[in-house]
Amino acid sequence: VPLWLVPAVPMVLVLAFCIPRLRPYVRGLVPFAPLPALLAGLADPGPMPLRLDWLLLGTDFAVSKTAATFLIFTSLLWSLAGWQLFRLLARDPAKDRTIACFLFAMTGNLGLLIAQDIAAFYTFFAMMSLASWGLVLHGGGVAQTFAGRVYIVFAITGEVALFAGLALGHFATGDLQLSAMTGDTVPLLATVLVSLGFLIKLGAVPMHLWLPLAHAAAPAPASAVLSGAMLKAGLFGLITVLPLGQTALPEIAVAFAAMALAGLILAPVLGLVQQDPKAVLAYSSIGQMSLILLGLAAALAAPGAWVLIAPALVILATHHAFAKAALFLGVPAVWSVDRGAVRIAVLVLMALPALALAGLPGTSGWLAMAEVETATAGAPAGWAIS
């Protein structure tokens, strides 16, 4: 699978969308746009690395083992959400604007997973973040406008911090490769700034304020990819640029742990008082991402434990992506069904991913949380989770 197809296919659909007579055909192709990314993630052996000297400052594409897993669940979620977006907005007058933003965000999300250089990674990350603003603003009402303002403030803050951190890292190392950000010569300030940019996208407390508002305002398919796929872009970024398994960063580890524990305590409490079901699911995502952040904190405190923590966090991220997407995509089904046996059946089906998120024994959530607990037990005293 030529890696350039991963971001090129959704981008070509965006360009085709600019031609009015092609729009009906493009709408039907949206669910198939992530197919090259899925094939790239499933390929064994993986696709050959690719360098495009003419693009940006010289763009490198490759698929690591971690990126392959992220590509698989991310592409599947974008495909499912695209299919429901096509159906849900069939008669919506603003559907074309939202579909264009959806394809732009998809391009950025899939592209950053294979980008190996700083310029391409930042470009794709910014494309994903800024295009998602259009998804939040879709309804055009007062609530959507307010949510959009909050979202764009946090998004721009994150982009500025990320750009500054990557620029400082490049200045210190003289290397444009993203992997150079894990080197010993990268100043702590650069690592802190880059982490801030990714933590905002991850929805870590106290940078989470945009998340419940955006989920409640956006259409359900957009909320599904915001939570299931785009939050994981923050996790992927942290895994990529932090010296996990190499160098202990106790200061950042303590900060991560404090934010994680605050999220684990606050998210359930605040989620219980929400009236909008999508806001409830958003606070659930904050709690789940806080658990992931706690695993990263343990790895930064004990680099030797990363070999165990890394697969545990990938399992947890994959489980959360599918379970949360199932719940978000199921919200319109609950709203559209009247009381009766059909509604009860829908609610019972919705309870399955909800119980998995709660860690019911025998579910993917139980397996993922057990893996995280086992992995973090290898961290220093005080990090163990009982």
Side-chain angles (χ1 to χ4, degrees):
V1 180
L3 283 178
W4 60 268
L5 286 175
V6 173
V9 170
M11 180 54 68
V12 167
L13 291 182
V14 172
L15 297 177
F17 214 69
C18 297
I19 305 175
R21 68 178 63 183
L22 295 181
R23 288 177 185 173
Y25 306 102
V26 174
R27 295 187 199 112
L29 292 174
V30 169
F32 302 98
L35 182 58
L38 177 61
L39 295 176
L42 291 173
D44 185 20
M48 292 291 294
L50 174 67
R51 177 169 177 81
L52 303 174
D53 291 317
W54 55 269
L55 186 61
L56 297 175
L57 302 178
T59 298
D60 292 290
F61 291 143
V63 179
S64 64
K65 291 183 179 180
T66 301
T69 304
F70 277 75
L71 277 173
I72 291 170
F73 73 72
T74 300
S75 58
L76 286 172
L77 292 184
W78 278 104
S79 181
L80 291 170
W83 172 70
Q84 194 187 51
L85 189 74
F86 174 73
R87 296 175 62 252
L88 196 65
L89 303 185
R91 299 181 180 179
D92 194 311
K95 62 178 179 295
D96 288 343
R97 180 189 63 198
T98 301
I99 290 174
C101 291
F102 187 86
L103 288 169
F104 263 121
M106 182 196 302
T107 302
N109 195 182
L110 298 176
L112 69 88
L113 296 176
I114 62 172
Q116 302 299 302
D117 61 285
I118 288 175
F121 181 87
Y122 177 78
T123 300
F124 283 124
F125 194 91
M127 184 185 299
M128 177 193 69
S129 294
L130 299 181
S132 300
W133 187 28
L135 302 178
V136 177
L137 291 171
H138 167 76
V142 175
Q144 287 79 10
T145 301
F146 177 72
R149 289 174 179 171
V150 174
Y151 174 86
I152 199 62
V153 168
F154 276 92
I156 292 177
T157 301
E159 297 306 320
V160 171
L162 181 59
F163 180 85
L166 292 175
L168 282 175
H170 168 62
F171 180 79
T173 63
D175 195 336
L176 278 172
Q177 292 299 301
L178 199 60
S179 57
M181 290 297 297
T182 63
D184 296 334
T185 59
V186 176
L188 182 62
L189 177 60
T191 304
V192 170
L193 288 171
V194 170
S195 298
L196 176 61
F198 291 135
L199 288 171
I200 290 176
K201 183 57 61 181
L202 190 68
V205 174
M207 287 84 76
H208 69 288
L209 299 178
W210 66 270
L211 191 57
L213 295 172
H215 282 341
S223 297
V225 290
L226 278 169
S227 179
M230 294 191 219
L231 290 187
K232 310 308 181 301
L235 170 62
F236 183 80
L238 290 170
I239 292 175
T240 303
V241 303
L242 292 176
L244 297 164
Q246 303 176 28
T247 307
L249 295 176
E251 301 89 350
I252 296 181
V254 170
F256 278 16
M259 289 186 285
L261 292 173
L264 289 170
I265 295 171
L266 292 176
V269 175
L270 296 176
L272 287 173
V273 299
Q274 302 302 311
Q275 300 296 320
D276 191 308
K278 292 198 292 180
V280 175
L281 294 176
Y283 277 105
S284 171
S285 292
I286 294 170
Q288 295 282 324
M289 295 304 101
S290 297
L291 183 58
I292 287 177
L293 189 59
L294 189 61
L296 291 174
L300 289 172
W306 177 240
V307 67
L308 297 175
I309 293 175
L313 294 187
V314 172
I315 291 172
L316 183 59
T318 305
H319 141 75
H320 175 265
F322 285 114
K324 191 54 62 70
L327 290 170
F328 273 116
L329 294 175
V331 168
V334 176
W335 286 342
S336 63
V337 178
D338 295 329
R339 295 180 180 180
V342 176
R343 184 178 180 85
I344 293 175
V346 171
L347 292 175
V348 169
L349 290 174
M350 291 278 285
L352 297 177
L355 291 172
L357 285 173
L360 181 71
T363 65
S364 60
W366 172 77
L367 173 63
M369 293 177 188
E371 288 291 327
V372 173
E373 180 180 350
T374 302
T376 51
W383 290 101
I385 299 176
S386 60

